[in-house]
Amino acid sequence: MPNWGGGNKCGACHGTVYHAEEVQCDGRSFHKCCFLCMVCRKGLDSTTLAIHDQEIYCKSCYGKKYGPKGYGYGQGAGTLNMDRGERLGIIPEETQTHRPTSNPNPSKFAQKFGGSEKCARCGEAVYAAEKVKGAGKPWHKNCFRCAKCGKSLESTTQTEKDGEIYCKACYAKNFGPKGFGYGQGAGALVHAQ
């Protein structure tokens, strides 16, 4: 049945959006006045927008809600910011435990003739558009995280041990050298005589 009442429906207020007031984002339409951050209600544009699922945020609120947490993740130039967004109404989520798995796809036929490979972390199908290779295995972009702390990794920041991937900090902490003289800073190894 044709839509005689005008344009698309707004992704925020669900009212009709006419062409003159339309902002499009992620395949959805919004009124210009409804194109606001879900947390702080600031107006958004293409340079300040961050999307998570079907929700839109400014980059600042998105980083506080979904970005890395903990010591050393400040807002710039040597600052330490422990603001997790509580004052903006963001409820901090508990970090999910990452379940290390080694689930290679046994079907060579599926790998060769277009079947999807299986993600090494979650075991689900990994298609070419979302595939990241690490430690010789396919991963979803969202699953390509440190097995210890859950930090998102890239090919230049990941290290591998026994088929599992780690950030360089967790790898050094768990598998690096231990004992007197290590961890003194600036690469110094102190020898006591």
Side-chain angles (χ1 to χ4, degrees), residues 13-169:
C13 73
H14 306 292
T16 301
V17 181
Y18 296 97
H19 184 69
E21 59 184 353
E22 182 178 37
V23 176
Q24 289 190 343
C25 170
D26 200 31
R28 296 185 301 159
S29 297
F30 294 88
H31 294 107
K32 288 179 184 174
C33 61
C34 293
F35 197 58
L36 305 171
C37 173
M38 302 284 289
V39 176
C40 69
R41 310 299 294 163
K42 286 183 185 172
L44 300 172
D45 61 33
S46 63
T47 62
T48 60
L49 174 70
I51 303 170
H52 185 81
D53 294 330
Q54 294 290 311
E55 298 175 338
I56 56 176
Y57 299 93
C58 67
K59 288 187 177 180
S60 177
C61 291
Y62 178 86
K64 288 174 185 169
K65 188 165 184 175
Y66 299 108
K69 310 278 189 292
Y71 181 78
Y73 291 104
Q75 294 293 318
T79 62
L80 177 61
N81 184 354
M82 298 302 286
D83 179 13
R84 297 175 66 186
E86 288 92 348
R87 66 183 171 78
L88 297 173
I90 297 172
I91 300 168
E93 297 174 4
E94 295 299 318
T95 56
Q96 297 177 358
T97 57
H98 292 277
R99 38 189 181 130
T101 63
S102 56
N103 188 7
N105 186 355
S107 170
K108 294 292 180 188
F109 179 84
Q111 290 178 4
K112 188 172 183 178
F113 295 105
S116 62
E117 296 178 278
K118 302 291 184 186
C119 175
R121 170 88 13 91
C122 70
E124 297 290 319
V126 181
Y127 298 99
E130 59 185 354
K131 181 164 70 170
V132 177
K133 278 284 207 182
K137 299 176 190 172
W139 306 78
H140 291 109
K141 289 178 184 174
N142 288 339
C143 293
F144 197 64
R145 297 177 173 276
C146 175
K148 291 287 185 185
C149 69
K151 179 180 175 184
S152 185
L153 300 173
E154 296 176 6
S155 61
T156 58
T157 60
Q158 66 101 21
T159 54
E160 180 260 336
K161 178 155 177 83
D162 299 329
E164 191 52 80
I165 55 173
Y166 302 92
C167 67
K168 292 188 178 194

